């Protein structure tokens, strides 16, 4: 690992706070810790004196721009402030990044730095993937969701009016810097949305981690730093392993979409922006668990544990009221639909998920009718 500051190098080695996403020559570290944004010159080994454009939003400027500027020394550093929110994740906003790169005459050797949540990370990553056919970028995720999911693995995108993340590319960052201190300022609802994605990792591949979450959730809600660091690290370990094995989602990476086909339909039917993505994923995972139970895959006890943990984390565990046919139609817009059949991530047990299209279609229709009759 390329760590510049001797203090940090020692901290990482002693406490083993960094882990790698192993992708051959494109292997990169995820640094996880506290006080990382105070480490002057932390990014110098990655930037190496090249021009830097920090891309962030208006909410994050007063909170973190100053320290992040200090992570790079000896480079020309410019900043671009984008509007906040999912509604800004568009081609028009992307163009603002290209305008800034043109204005500052940044060439193929520049480095983009994404400072923010998943929206800033996705759009900046896509700008980096496409500017002059691809330049380097660095992720500094500031939401829990971005630290455990969107900053890792190289999926970058903007939305199209026809759907979320329809225009995108795989483009891996040079490194990821996850500073737990940034979670202090995160609104409570956003913390919850991130915790939903954390539970996802337990459900899809790590029963022990799920049991740890059942025992330790009060500390997470109180933002205990050590526990948060543990969940970021464990989640990133699981995601890094899956991405290393299947970078382009030809197989097992689709497991990371547990709860997402139901969740995306909830987001769409409720009206984008009404539910946070993580909240929809929480209710979506409960639906995936309930459908798995209906098919005889998941035990009654494990279905109940799934719902209880998400409820304890103050997340929604039931979908909003929607006509079943409308919900099914929203589900069929999912990117995982192949030849008209909806592939789902279902659970055999807590910690054991599978991607499957092997279920009777009428079962899904009946299941949705039952879900929405309450
Ligand atoms: P977000 O980026 O919109 O951030 C949520 C809100 O929190 C914003 O208002 C933001 O300004 C604010 N914020 C961010 N950090 C803060 C901080 N430290 N303190 C105070 N406020 C802060 O939302 P998100 O949940 O981080 O990301 C959602 C996006 O991520 C979606 O667009 C989704 O499609 C994408 N995503 C991508 C992947 C991937 O693999 N690329 C995975 C999951 C989600
Ligand atoms: N968030 C799903 C993935 O990265 O594949």
């Amino acid at each position: 690992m390329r760590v510049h500051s001797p203090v940090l190098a020692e901290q990482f080695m002693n406490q083993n706070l960094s882990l790698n996403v192993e992708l051959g020559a494109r292997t990169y570290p995820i640094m996880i810790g506290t006080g990382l944004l105070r480490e002057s010159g932390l990014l110098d080994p990655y930037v190496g004196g090249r021009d830097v454009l920090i891309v962030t939003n208006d909410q994050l400027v007063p909170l973190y721009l100053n320290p992040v500027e200090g992570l790079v020394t000896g480079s020309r550093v410019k900043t671009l402030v984008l509007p906040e929110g999912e509604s800004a994740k568009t081609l028009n906003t992307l163009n603002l990044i290209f305008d800034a790169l043109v204005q500052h005459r940044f060439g193929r050797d520049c480095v983009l730095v994404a400072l923010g949540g998943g929206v800033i990370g996705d759009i900046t990553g896509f700008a980096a993937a496409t500017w002059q056919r691809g330049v380097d970028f660095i992720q500094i995720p500031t939401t829990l969701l971005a630290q455990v999911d969107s900053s890792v693995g190289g999926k970058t995108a903007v939305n199209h009016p026809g759907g979320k993340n329809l225009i995108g590319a795989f483009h891996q960052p040079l490194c990821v810097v996850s500073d737990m201190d940034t979670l202090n300022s995160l609104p409570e609802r956003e913390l919850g949305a991130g915790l939903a994605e954390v539970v996802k990792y337990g459900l899809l591949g790590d029963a022990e981690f799920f049991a740890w979450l059942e025992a330790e959730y009060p500390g997470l809600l109180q933002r205990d730093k050590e526990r948060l660091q543990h969940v970021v690290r464990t989640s990133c370990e699981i995601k890094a392993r899956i991405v290393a094995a299947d970078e382009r989602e030809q197989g097992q990476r689709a497991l990371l979409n547990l709860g997402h086909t139901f969740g995306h339909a909830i987001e769409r039917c409720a009206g984008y922006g009404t539910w946070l993505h993580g909240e929809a994923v929480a209710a979506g995972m409960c639906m995936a668990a309930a459908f798995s139970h209906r098919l005889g895959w998941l035990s009654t006890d494990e279905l109940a544990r799934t719902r209880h943990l998400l409820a304890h984390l103050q997340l929604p565990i039931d979908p909003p009221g929607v006509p079943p046919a409308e919900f099914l139609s929203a589900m069929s817009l999912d990117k995982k639909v192949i030849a008209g059949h909806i592939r789902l991530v279902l659970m055999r047990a807590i910690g054991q998920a599978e991607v499957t299209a092997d279920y009777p279609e009428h079962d899904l229709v009946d299941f949705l009718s039952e879900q929405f009759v309450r």
Side-chain angles (χ1 to χ4, degrees):
M1 207 205 117
R2 294 169 288 169
V3 173
H4 184 65
S5 148
V7 177
L8 265 179
E10 199 178 314
Q11 187 194 19
F12 282 139
M13 271 181 250
N14 290 345
Q15 298 178 25
N16 198 20
L17 297 179
S18 163
L19 60 109
N20 281 345
V21 181
E22 300 287 348
L23 288 167
R26 291 173 298 120
T27 293
Y28 59 91
I30 307 168
M31 300 176 226
I32 302 164
T34 54
L36 295 178
L37 298 193
R38 293 197 300 271
E39 290 292 334
S40 169
L42 176 70
L43 296 179
D44 286 351
Y46 303 94
V47 168
R50 292 178 287 167
D51 289 338
V52 170
L53 180 70
I54 301 172
V55 181
T56 188
N57 76 25
D58 38 13
Q59 292 185 342
L60 294 161
V61 167
L63 294 170
Y64 304 114
L65 180 59
N66 226 328
V68 167
E69 283 171 338
L71 300 181
V72 183
T73 62
S75 284
R76 190 160 68 111
V77 179
K78 301 286 180 188
T79 299
L80 175 67
V81 181
L82 297 178
E84 179 279 333
E86 185 72 31
S87 57
K89 199 173 145 183
T90 61
L91 281 172
N92 283 344
T93 313
L94 179 73
N95 222 17
L96 298 176
I97 304 182
F98 298 142
D99 289 346
L101 292 166
V102 170
Q103 183 199 337
H104 300 307
R105 296 175 182 277
F106 277 14
R108 290 200 72 183
D109 62 345
C110 70
V111 181
L112 306 192
V113 173
L115 168 63
V119 167
I120 289 290
D122 277 13
I123 194 167
T124 307
F126 187 53
T130 46
W131 176 247
Q132 303 204 12
R133 299 196 183 88
V135 298
D136 287 336
F137 85 114
I138 290 170
Q139 290 270 19
I140 305 186
T142 60
T143 62
L144 182 60
L145 183 139
Q147 291 181 352
V148 300
D149 193 354
S150 62
S151 65
V152 174
K155 278 190 182 175
T156 73
V158 295
N159 299 331
H160 182 273
K164 274 189 66 163
N165 298 328
L166 290 183
I167 309 161
F170 287 97
H171 190 57
Q172 301 291 345
L174 285 181
C175 67
V176 180
V177 180
S178 281
D179 189 332
M180 296 304 103
D181 293 338
T182 61
L183 301 180
N184 290 337
S185 56
L186 198 61
E188 212 152 283
R189 236 182 120 191
E190 299 291 348
L191 183 80
L195 288 171
E197 299 283 2
V198 169
V199 171
K200 177 187 80 177
Y201 291 109
L203 288 175
L204 73 85
D206 192 334
E208 214 174 289
F209 182 47
F210 186 90
W212 184 91
L213 292 169
E214 289 179 305
E216 301 292 341
Y217 74 84
L220 293 172
L221 291 174
Q222 285 154 18
R223 303 186 193 217
D224 174 80
K225 287 264 169 64
E226 267 181 39
R227 287 179 178 81
L228 283 172
Q229 194 159 301
H230 179 68
V231 303
V232 173
R233 186 183 166 83
T234 307
S235 303
C236 288
E237 276 171 357
I238 296 171
K239 181 155 186 184
R241 218 171 28 240
I242 292 176
V243 169
D246 178 25
E247 183 183 5
R248 300 235 160 196
E249 199 168 310
Q250 303 300 302
Q252 63 165 290
R253 184 164 180 169
L255 292 175
L256 295 171
N257 295 318
L258 175 63
H260 283 59
T261 305
F262 292 108
H264 285 152
I266 291 173
E267 282 182 269
R268 193 177 178 89
C269 293
Y272 285 115
T274 315
W275 288 52
L276 295 182
H277 174 71
E279 293 170 339
V281 167
M285 289 190 295
C286 289
M287 291 183 81
F291 189 51
S292 306
H293 176 257
R294 193 180 198 281
L295 293 175
W297 285 30
L298 188 69
S299 71
T300 306
D301 174 55
E302 294 196 305
L303 169 60
R305 284 177 63 196
T306 303
R307 289 175 63 84
H308 284 150
L309 176 56
L310 290 163
H312 284 320
L313 290 169
Q314 292 158 25
L315 285 158
I317 54 174
D318 291 307
V322 176
E326 188 187 320
F327 197 87
L328 186 63
S329 147
M331 283 179 74
S332 65
L333 292 171
D334 196 85
K335 290 201 278 299
K336 285 188 301 302
V337 172
I338 291 182
H341 204 58
I342 302 173
R343 284 191 309 153
L344 292 172
V345 185
L346 298 179
M347 292 159 60
R348 294 271 178 199
I350 287 175
Q352 203 188 328
E354 275 176 34
V355 185
T356 184
D358 189 16
Y359 58 85
E361 195 138 351
H362 65 82
D363 267 353
L364 180 61
V365 173
D366 293 348
F367 168 74
L368 291 179
S369 306
E370 291 156 16
Q371 284 282 305
F372 294 108
V373 177
R374 271 196 298 269

